[in-house]
Amino acid sequence: EIVLTQSPGTLSLSPGERATLSCRASQSVSSSHVAWYQQTPGQAPRLLIYGISTRATGIPDRFSGSGSGTDFTLTISRLEPEDFAVYFCQQYGGSLTFGGGTKVEIK
Amino acid sequence: QVHLQESGPGLVKPSETLSLTCTVSGGSISSYQWNWIRQTPGKGLEWIGYVYYSGGTKYNPSLKSRVTMSVDTSKNQFSLKLSSVTAADTAVYYCARDQSGYYHFDSWGQGTLVTVSS
């Protein structure tokens, strides 16, 4: 099973700042099968990015994904108030796993 | 806009079988892969498996021996059964759609909390 490790656990930033979230896989992952989700309290996760860098329908262009192999990054170029949430990466490589999440909180 | 809604008992006794149904509205179930995912504070998000509209299934190897999924296209519903539950199966259970077949989830239900306790 591929283990996904997200860092940092918590990111404290101010609105307007840039957020960079990391996801590292224990083995190389197919680029087609990497996704990112956003979750706010009491809500289901929402798909942000799939195929490493393709934004899901309705996702603003301040969200971008990059990476390859074992290292993947979600970048939020300028944080809006509604972006303060928990973010998860996810992969499928024979079996499907999620990372433990990064919480983006207001500084 | 497709909408997914989980339903089922919120409390299940240890050793019994957890049964949940997901009703799909605003779209047909007769395409795509339909998934179950659960979330706990301790283990985070865990994929349980999917059922294809034709009835084919794929399960998480760690749960495979206890999981059964099925689909009822006439009711636009799909279901999860998890047998021999323990307290470790206490979680929020989500149903979700994989529209692409590339194992990501574009639509989710709101989630339902299932507690395993006597």
Side-chain angles (χ1 to χ4, degrees):
Chain A
E1 176 179 285
I2 296 176
V3 176
L4 297 179
T5 302
Q6 291 189 241
S7 61
T10 301
L11 200 50
S12 298
L13 295 168
S14 301
E17 289 194 295
R18 181 184 188 91
T20 303
L21 287 67
S22 174
C23 177
R24 177 161 291 176
S26 59
Q27 303 172 43
S28 185
V29 178
S30 165
S31 61
S32 301
H33 297 144
V34 174
W36 289 89
Y37 300 83
Q38 176 194 66
Q39 187 176 34
T40 53
Q43 301 297 313
R46 176 175 71 141
L47 179 66
L48 296 176
I49 301 283
Y50 62 91
I52 293 184
S53 60
T54 302
R55 279 186 298 278
T57 302
I59 301 304
D61 61 7
R62 65 180 180 273
F63 291 91
S64 63
S66 63
S68 65
T70 60
D71 291 300
F72 305 95
T73 301
L74 174 70
T75 301
I76 310 170
S77 59
R78 287 173 52 87
L79 283 164
E80 298 287 340
E82 62 268 26
D83 299 337
F84 291 91
V86 180
Y87 293 84
F88 297 95
C89 57
Q90 174 241 307
Q91 67 79 35
Y92 177 75
S95 187
L96 193 152
T97 56
F98 291 87
T102 290
K103 181 180 182 180
V104 179
E105 65 175 23
I106 299 176
K107 187 174 181 181
Chain B
Q1 175 95 4
V2 71
H3 179 75
L4 289 76
Q5 179 68 58
E6 305 89 351
S7 59
L11 181 64
V12 181
K13 290 182 168 54
S15 80
E16 295 189 345
T17 296
L18 178 160
S19 296
L20 294 174
T21 296
C22 183
T23 301
V24 179
S25 57
S28 173
I29 202 171
S30 296
S31 295
Y32 317 131
Q33 295 170 357
W34 301 94
N35 293 260
W36 290 97
I37 296 157
R38 67 184 184 180
Q39 186 173 28
T40 63
K43 287 194 71 176
L45 289 160
E46 182 177 31
W47 175 70
I48 301 170
Y50 74 70
V51 58
Y52 198 47
Y53 75 94
S54 61
T57 56
K58 186 175 180 70
Y59 302 142
N60 185 326
S62 68
L63 296 168
K64 186 176 182 178
S65 63
R66 298 194 291 131
V67 172
T68 303
M69 294 183 187
S70 60
V71 62
D72 186 338
T73 54
S74 67
K75 295 181 179 178
N76 242 30
Q77 294 177 333
F78 62 104
S79 299
L80 165 70
K81 292 188 186 299
L82 180 66
S83 65
S84 304
V85 298
T86 69
D89 295 308
T90 295
V92 175
Y93 286 76
Y94 295 101
C95 56
R97 183 183 73 174
D98 173 3
Q99 187 178 23
S100 69
Y102 282 95
Y103 298 93
H104 56 259
F105 313 111
D106 58 279
S107 295
W108 295 63
Q110 66 183 24
T112 188
L113 174 62
V114 179
T115 301
V116 179
S117 175
S118 55

Short mmCIF file of all heavy atoms in Angstrom, two decimals, chain A residues 3-55:
data_model
loop_
_atom_site.label_atom_id
_atom_site.label_comp_id
_atom_site.label_asym_id
_atom_site.label_seq_id
_atom_site.Cartn_x
_atom_site.Cartn_y
_atom_site.Cartn_z
N VAL A 3 1.75 4.86 0.99
CA VAL A 3 1.46 5.79 2.08
C VAL A 3 1.74 7.20 1.60
O VAL A 3 2.81 7.47 1.02
CB VAL A 3 2.30 5.46 3.33
CG1 VAL A 3 2.05 6.50 4.42
CG2 VAL A 3 1.98 4.06 3.84
N LEU A 4 0.79 8.09 1.85
CA LEU A 4 0.95 9.51 1.51
C LEU A 4 1.17 10.31 2.78
O LEU A 4 0.38 10.23 3.72
CB LEU A 4 -0.30 10.04 0.79
CG LEU A 4 -0.64 9.39 -0.55
CD1 LEU A 4 -1.91 10.01 -1.12
CD2 LEU A 4 0.50 9.54 -1.53
N THR A 5 2.27 11.07 2.81
CA THR A 5 2.60 11.90 3.97
C THR A 5 2.48 13.36 3.58
O THR A 5 3.18 13.83 2.68
CB THR A 5 4.01 11.60 4.46
OG1 THR A 5 4.11 10.21 4.80
CG2 THR A 5 4.33 12.44 5.70
N GLN A 6 1.58 14.08 4.25
CA GLN A 6 1.38 15.50 3.94
C GLN A 6 2.11 16.37 4.96
O GLN A 6 2.17 16.06 6.15
CB GLN A 6 -0.11 15.83 3.96
CG GLN A 6 -0.86 15.20 2.80
CD GLN A 6 -2.28 15.70 2.69
OE1 GLN A 6 -3.24 14.92 2.80
NE2 GLN A 6 -2.45 17.00 2.46
N SER A 7 2.67 17.46 4.46
CA SER A 7 3.33 18.41 5.34
C SER A 7 3.12 19.84 4.83
O SER A 7 2.92 20.04 3.62
CB SER A 7 4.83 18.11 5.42
OG SER A 7 5.44 18.20 4.14
N PRO A 8 3.12 20.82 5.74
CA PRO A 8 3.13 20.61 7.19
C PRO A 8 1.76 20.14 7.67
O PRO A 8 0.82 20.10 6.89
CB PRO A 8 3.44 22.02 7.71
CG PRO A 8 2.79 22.92 6.69
CD PRO A 8 2.99 22.23 5.37
N GLY A 9 1.68 19.79 8.95
CA GLY A 9 0.40 19.39 9.49
C GLY A 9 -0.56 20.56 9.57
O GLY A 9 -1.76 20.44 9.31
N THR A 10 -0.01 21.72 9.94
CA THR A 10 -0.78 22.95 10.02
C THR A 10 0.02 24.07 9.39
O THR A 10 1.24 24.15 9.59
CB THR A 10 -1.12 23.30 11.48
OG1 THR A 10 -1.86 22.22 12.06
CG2 THR A 10 -1.97 24.57 11.54
N LEU A 11 -0.67 24.91 8.64
CA LEU A 11 -0.06 26.06 7.98
C LEU A 11 -0.82 27.30 8.44
O LEU A 11 -2.03 27.40 8.22
CB LEU A 11 -0.17 25.87 6.47
CG LEU A 11 0.73 26.62 5.50
CD1 LEU A 11 2.19 26.50 5.89
CD2 LEU A 11 0.50 26.11 4.09
N SER A 12 -0.12 28.22 9.11
CA SER A 12 -0.75 29.44 9.61
C SER A 12 -0.38 30.60 8.70
O SER A 12 0.78 31.01 8.65
CB SER A 12 -0.31 29.72 11.05
OG SER A 12 -0.70 28.67 11.90
N LEU A 13 -1.38 31.14 8.02
CA LEU A 13 -1.14 32.19 7.03
C LEU A 13 -2.23 33.24 7.12
O LEU A 13 -3.30 33.00 7.71
CB LEU A 13 -1.10 31.60 5.62
CG LEU A 13 0.06 30.63 5.31
CD1 LEU A 13 -0.19 29.90 4.00
CD2 LEU A 13 1.38 31.38 5.26
N SER A 14 -1.98 34.36 6.49
CA SER A 14 -2.96 35.45 6.43
C SER A 14 -3.64 35.47 5.06
O SER A 14 -3.04 35.04 4.06
CB SER A 14 -2.28 36.79 6.69
OG SER A 14 -1.65 36.80 7.96
N PRO A 15 -4.87 35.99 5.00
CA PRO A 15 -5.51 36.16 3.69
C PRO A 15 -4.61 36.95 2.75
O PRO A 15 -3.94 37.91 3.17
CB PRO A 15 -6.80 36.91 4.04
CG PRO A 15 -7.09 36.52 5.45
CD PRO A 15 -5.75 36.38 6.12
N GLY A 16 -4.59 36.52 1.50
CA GLY A 16 -3.75 37.17 0.51
C GLY A 16 -2.39 36.52 0.34
O GLY A 16 -1.71 36.75 -0.67
N GLU A 17 -1.97 35.73 1.32
CA GLU A 17 -0.67 35.05 1.24
C GLU A 17 -0.77 33.80 0.35
O GLU A 17 -1.85 33.30 0.04
CB GLU A 17 -0.16 34.68 2.63
CG GLU A 17 0.29 35.87 3.45
CD GLU A 17 1.09 35.45 4.67
OE1 GLU A 17 0.51 34.80 5.56
OE2 GLU A 17 2.29 35.78 4.73
N ARG A 18 0.39 33.28 0.01
CA ARG A 18 0.51 32.08 -0.82
C ARG A 18 0.67 30.88 0.09
O ARG A 18 1.42 30.91 1.06
CB ARG A 18 1.74 32.22 -1.71
CG ARG A 18 2.03 31.08 -2.66
CD ARG A 18 3.34 31.36 -3.38
NE ARG A 18 3.63 30.43 -4.44
CZ ARG A 18 3.25 30.60 -5.70
NH1 ARG A 18 2.56 31.66 -6.06
NH2 ARG A 18 3.58 29.70 -6.63
N ALA A 19 -0.05 29.80 -0.24
CA ALA A 19 0.05 28.57 0.53
C ALA A 19 0.66 27.48 -0.35
O ALA A 19 0.21 27.28 -1.49
CB ALA A 19 -1.33 28.13 1.02
N THR A 20 1.62 26.77 0.20
CA THR A 20 2.24 25.65 -0.51
C THR A 20 2.15 24.41 0.36
O THR A 20 2.71 24.36 1.46
CB THR A 20 3.72 25.96 -0.84
OG1 THR A 20 3.79 27.17 -1.61
CG2 THR A 20 4.34 24.83 -1.63
N LEU A 21 1.41 23.41 -0.12
CA LEU A 21 1.15 22.18 0.62
C LEU A 21 1.85 21.03 -0.08
O LEU A 21 1.77 20.90 -1.31
CB LEU A 21 -0.35 21.90 0.69
CG LEU A 21 -1.22 22.77 1.60
CD1 LEU A 21 -1.30 24.21 1.12
CD2 LEU A 21 -2.61 22.17 1.71
N SER A 22 2.47 20.17 0.71
CA SER A 22 3.26 19.07 0.15
C SER A 22 2.62 17.72 0.43
O SER A 22 2.00 17.51 1.49
CB SER A 22 4.66 19.10 0.75
OG SER A 22 5.40 17.97 0.35
N CYS A 23 2.78 16.81 -0.49
CA CYS A 23 2.30 15.43 -0.36
C CYS A 23 3.39 14.52 -0.92
O CYS A 23 3.74 14.63 -2.10
CB CYS A 23 1.00 15.26 -1.14
SG CYS A 23 0.31 13.59 -1.16
N ARG A 24 3.91 13.66 -0.08
CA ARG A 24 4.99 12.75 -0.50
C ARG A 24 4.51 11.32 -0.43
O ARG A 24 3.95 10.89 0.60
CB ARG A 24 6.22 12.95 0.37
CG ARG A 24 7.37 12.00 0.05
CD ARG A 24 8.68 12.51 0.60
NE ARG A 24 9.13 13.71 -0.12
CZ ARG A 24 10.21 14.40 0.21
NH1 ARG A 24 10.95 14.03 1.25
NH2 ARG A 24 10.56 15.46 -0.48
N ALA A 25 4.73 10.56 -1.49
CA ALA A 25 4.30 9.17 -1.57
C ALA A 25 5.45 8.22 -1.26
O ALA A 25 6.61 8.51 -1.57
CB ALA A 25 3.76 8.86 -2.95
N SER A 26 5.12 7.07 -0.66
CA SER A 26 6.15 6.09 -0.29
C SER A 26 6.68 5.34 -1.50
O SER A 26 7.73 4.71 -1.43
CB SER A 26 5.58 5.11 0.74
OG SER A 26 4.45 4.44 0.21
N GLN A 27 5.94 5.40 -2.63
CA GLN A 27 6.39 4.83 -3.90
C GLN A 27 5.92 5.75 -5.01
O GLN A 27 5.02 6.55 -4.81
CB GLN A 27 5.76 3.45 -4.13
CG GLN A 27 6.00 2.41 -3.08
CD GLN A 27 5.15 1.17 -3.35
OE1 GLN A 27 5.04 0.71 -4.49
NE2 GLN A 27 4.54 0.63 -2.31
N SER A 28 6.49 5.58 -6.18
CA SER A 28 6.10 6.39 -7.31
C SER A 28 4.62 6.16 -7.67
O SER A 28 4.13 5.03 -7.62
CB SER A 28 6.97 6.06 -8.52
OG SER A 28 6.69 6.92 -9.59
N VAL A 29 3.93 7.24 -8.01
CA VAL A 29 2.50 7.21 -8.29
C VAL A 29 2.25 7.64 -9.73
O VAL A 29 2.89 8.57 -10.22
CB VAL A 29 1.75 8.15 -7.32
CG1 VAL A 29 0.26 8.16 -7.63
CG2 VAL A 29 1.98 7.74 -5.88
N SER A 30 1.31 7.00 -10.38
CA SER A 30 0.91 7.40 -11.73
C SER A 30 0.31 8.81 -11.70
O SER A 30 -0.51 9.13 -10.85
CB SER A 30 -0.13 6.43 -12.29
OG SER A 30 -0.75 6.99 -13.42
N SER A 31 0.72 9.64 -12.65
CA SER A 31 0.26 11.02 -12.67
C SER A 31 -1.24 11.13 -12.88
O SER A 31 -1.86 12.10 -12.47
CB SER A 31 0.98 11.80 -13.77
OG SER A 31 0.70 11.22 -15.04
N SER A 32 -1.83 10.10 -13.50
CA SER A 32 -3.28 10.16 -13.76
C SER A 32 -4.09 10.02 -12.49
O SER A 32 -5.28 10.32 -12.48
CB SER A 32 -3.68 9.04 -14.72
OG SER A 32 -3.00 9.13 -15.93
N HIS A 33 -3.46 9.55 -11.44
CA HIS A 33 -4.21 9.10 -10.27
C HIS A 33 -3.85 9.86 -9.00
O HIS A 33 -3.81 9.28 -7.93
CB HIS A 33 -3.99 7.61 -10.07
CG HIS A 33 -4.51 6.77 -11.20
ND1 HIS A 33 -3.87 5.64 -11.62
CD2 HIS A 33 -5.58 6.92 -12.00
CE1 HIS A 33 -4.54 5.12 -12.64
NE2 HIS A 33 -5.57 5.87 -12.88
N VAL A 34 -3.54 11.14 -9.12
CA VAL A 34 -3.27 11.97 -7.96
C VAL A 34 -4.31 13.09 -7.92
O VAL A 34 -4.54 13.76 -8.93
CB VAL A 34 -1.86 12.56 -7.99
CG1 VAL A 34 -1.66 13.54 -6.83
CG2 VAL A 34 -0.82 11.45 -7.93
N ALA A 35 -4.91 13.28 -6.76
CA ALA A 35 -5.96 14.29 -6.62
C ALA A 35 -5.80 15.02 -5.29
O ALA A 35 -5.15 14.52 -4.37
CB ALA A 35 -7.34 13.64 -6.70
N TRP A 36 -6.43 16.18 -5.23
CA TRP A 36 -6.45 17.00 -4.00
C TRP A 36 -7.89 17.37 -3.69
O TRP A 36 -8.69 17.65 -4.60
CB TRP A 36 -5.64 18.27 -4.18
CG TRP A 36 -4.16 18.09 -4.26
CD1 TRP A 36 -3.41 17.87 -5.38
CD2 TRP A 36 -3.23 18.15 -3.17
NE1 TRP A 36 -2.09 17.77 -5.06
CE2 TRP A 36 -1.94 17.96 -3.71
CE3 TRP A 36 -3.35 18.36 -1.79
CZ2 TRP A 36 -0.78 17.96 -2.92
CZ3 TRP A 36 -2.21 18.37 -1.01
CH2 TRP A 36 -0.94 18.16 -1.57
N TYR A 37 -8.21 17.41 -2.38
CA TYR A 37 -9.53 17.76 -1.91
C TYR A 37 -9.43 18.82 -0.82
O TYR A 37 -8.43 18.90 -0.09
CB TYR A 37 -10.24 16.53 -1.31
CG TYR A 37 -10.43 15.40 -2.29
CD1 TYR A 37 -9.40 14.51 -2.53
CD2 TYR A 37 -11.62 15.25 -3.00
CE1 TYR A 37 -9.55 13.47 -3.44
CE2 TYR A 37 -11.78 14.22 -3.91
CZ TYR A 37 -10.74 13.33 -4.13
OH TYR A 37 -10.89 12.31 -5.04
N GLN A 38 -10.50 19.58 -0.70
CA GLN A 38 -10.65 20.57 0.38
C GLN A 38 -11.82 20.14 1.25
O GLN A 38 -12.87 19.73 0.73
CB GLN A 38 -10.95 21.94 -0.22
CG GLN A 38 -11.21 23.04 0.77
CD GLN A 38 -11.83 24.26 0.08
OE1 GLN A 38 -12.95 24.20 -0.42
NE2 GLN A 38 -11.11 25.35 0.07
N GLN A 39 -11.65 20.23 2.56
CA GLN A 39 -12.75 19.91 3.47
C GLN A 39 -12.89 20.98 4.53
O GLN A 39 -11.93 21.33 5.20
CB GLN A 39 -12.53 18.54 4.13
CG GLN A 39 -13.73 18.07 4.95
CD GLN A 39 -13.55 16.68 5.53
OE1 GLN A 39 -12.45 16.28 5.90
NE2 GLN A 39 -14.64 15.92 5.63
N THR A 40 -14.09 21.51 4.67
CA THR A 40 -14.42 22.44 5.73
C THR A 40 -15.23 21.69 6.79
O THR A 40 -15.82 20.64 6.51
CB THR A 40 -15.20 23.64 5.19
OG1 THR A 40 -16.34 23.17 4.45
CG2 THR A 40 -14.33 24.48 4.27
N PRO A 41 -15.26 22.22 8.02
CA PRO A 41 -15.90 21.50 9.13
C PRO A 41 -17.35 21.12 8.84
O PRO A 41 -18.15 21.94 8.38
CB PRO A 41 -15.81 22.49 10.28
CG PRO A 41 -14.59 23.29 9.99
CD PRO A 41 -14.59 23.46 8.49
N GLY A 42 -17.66 19.85 9.09
CA GLY A 42 -19.01 19.36 8.91
C GLY A 42 -19.41 19.07 7.48
O GLY A 42 -20.56 18.68 7.23
N GLN A 43 -18.48 19.25 6.55
CA GLN A 43 -18.78 19.05 5.14
C GLN A 43 -18.00 17.86 4.58
O GLN A 43 -16.96 17.47 5.13
CB GLN A 43 -18.44 20.30 4.33
CG GLN A 43 -19.18 21.54 4.77
CD GLN A 43 -20.67 21.42 4.59
OE1 GLN A 43 -21.16 21.00 3.55
NE2 GLN A 43 -21.42 21.78 5.63
N ALA A 44 -18.49 17.34 3.47
CA ALA A 44 -17.74 16.32 2.75
C ALA A 44 -16.56 16.97 2.03
O ALA A 44 -16.58 18.17 1.74
CB ALA A 44 -18.64 15.63 1.73
N PRO A 45 -15.54 16.19 1.75
CA PRO A 45 -14.45 16.73 0.92
C PRO A 45 -14.96 17.18 -0.45
O PRO A 45 -15.95 16.65 -0.95
CB PRO A 45 -13.51 15.53 0.78
CG PRO A 45 -13.76 14.69 2.00
CD PRO A 45 -15.25 14.83 2.23
N ARG A 46 -14.26 18.17 -1.01
CA ARG A 46 -14.60 18.68 -2.34
C ARG A 46 -13.39 18.51 -3.24
O ARG A 46 -12.28 18.91 -2.86
CB ARG A 46 -15.00 20.16 -2.25
CG ARG A 46 -15.28 20.80 -3.61
CD ARG A 46 -15.79 22.21 -3.49
NE ARG A 46 -14.79 23.17 -3.07
CZ ARG A 46 -14.68 24.41 -3.56
NH1 ARG A 46 -15.49 24.80 -4.53
NH2 ARG A 46 -13.78 25.25 -3.09
N LEU A 47 -13.62 17.96 -4.42
CA LEU A 47 -12.52 17.75 -5.35
C LEU A 47 -12.01 19.10 -5.88
O LEU A 47 -12.79 19.90 -6.39
CB LEU A 47 -12.99 16.87 -6.51
CG LEU A 47 -11.96 16.57 -7.60
CD1 LEU A 47 -10.80 15.73 -7.07
CD2 LEU A 47 -12.62 15.88 -8.80
N LEU A 48 -10.70 19.31 -5.75
CA LEU A 48 -10.07 20.53 -6.27
C LEU A 48 -9.29 20.25 -7.56
O LEU A 48 -9.43 20.95 -8.56
CB LEU A 48 -9.08 21.09 -5.25
CG LEU A 48 -9.60 21.59 -3.92
CD1 LEU A 48 -8.41 22.00 -3.04
CD2 LEU A 48 -10.56 22.75 -4.11
N ILE A 49 -8.43 19.25 -7.48
CA ILE A 49 -7.44 18.97 -8.53
C ILE A 49 -7.42 17.47 -8.78
O ILE A 49 -7.47 16.68 -7.83
CB ILE A 49 -6.03 19.40 -8.09
CG1 ILE A 49 -5.96 20.89 -7.77
CG2 ILE A 49 -4.97 19.01 -9.13
CD1 ILE A 49 -5.92 21.81 -8.98
N TYR A 50 -7.31 17.05 -10.05
CA TYR A 50 -7.10 15.65 -10.38
C TYR A 50 -6.07 15.55 -11.50
O TYR A 50 -5.73 16.56 -12.14
CB TYR A 50 -8.41 14.95 -10.76
CG TYR A 50 -9.09 15.51 -12.00
CD1 TYR A 50 -8.83 15.00 -13.26
CD2 TYR A 50 -10.01 16.55 -11.89
CE1 TYR A 50 -9.46 15.51 -14.39
CE2 TYR A 50 -10.64 17.07 -13.00
CZ TYR A 50 -10.36 16.55 -14.25
OH TYR A 50 -10.99 17.06 -15.37
N GLY A 51 -5.54 14.34 -11.69
CA GLY A 51 -4.49 14.17 -12.69
C GLY A 51 -3.31 15.08 -12.42
O GLY A 51 -2.68 15.61 -13.35
N ILE A 52 -3.01 15.27 -11.15
CA ILE A 52 -1.93 16.13 -10.62
C ILE A 52 -2.21 17.61 -10.77
O ILE A 52 -1.98 18.38 -9.84
CB ILE A 52 -0.56 15.81 -11.28
CG1 ILE A 52 -0.10 14.42 -10.85
CG2 ILE A 52 0.50 16.85 -10.90
CD1 ILE A 52 1.28 14.05 -11.36
N SER A 53 -2.73 18.06 -11.93
CA SER A 53 -2.76 19.51 -12.18
C SER A 53 -4.04 20.03 -12.83
O SER A 53 -4.12 21.23 -13.12
CB SER A 53 -1.57 19.91 -13.05
OG SER A 53 -1.64 19.23 -14.30
N THR A 54 -5.02 19.20 -13.06
CA THR A 54 -6.26 19.63 -13.70
C THR A 54 -7.27 20.07 -12.65
O THR A 54 -7.61 19.30 -11.76
CB THR A 54 -6.86 18.51 -14.56
OG1 THR A 54 -5.91 18.09 -15.54
CG2 THR A 54 -8.13 18.99 -15.26
N ARG A 55 -7.72 21.31 -12.78
CA ARG A 55 -8.72 21.81 -11.82
C ARG A 55 -10.08 21.19 -12.11
O ARG A 55 -10.50 21.07 -13.28
CB ARG A 55 -8.82 23.33 -11.88
CG ARG A 55 -7.73 24.05 -11.10
CD ARG A 55 -7.97 25.55 -11.07
NE ARG A 55 -7.95 26.12 -12.40
CZ ARG A 55 -6.85 26.45 -13.06
NH1 ARG A 55 -5.66 26.28 -12.49
NH2 ARG A 55 -6.93 26.96 -14.27
#
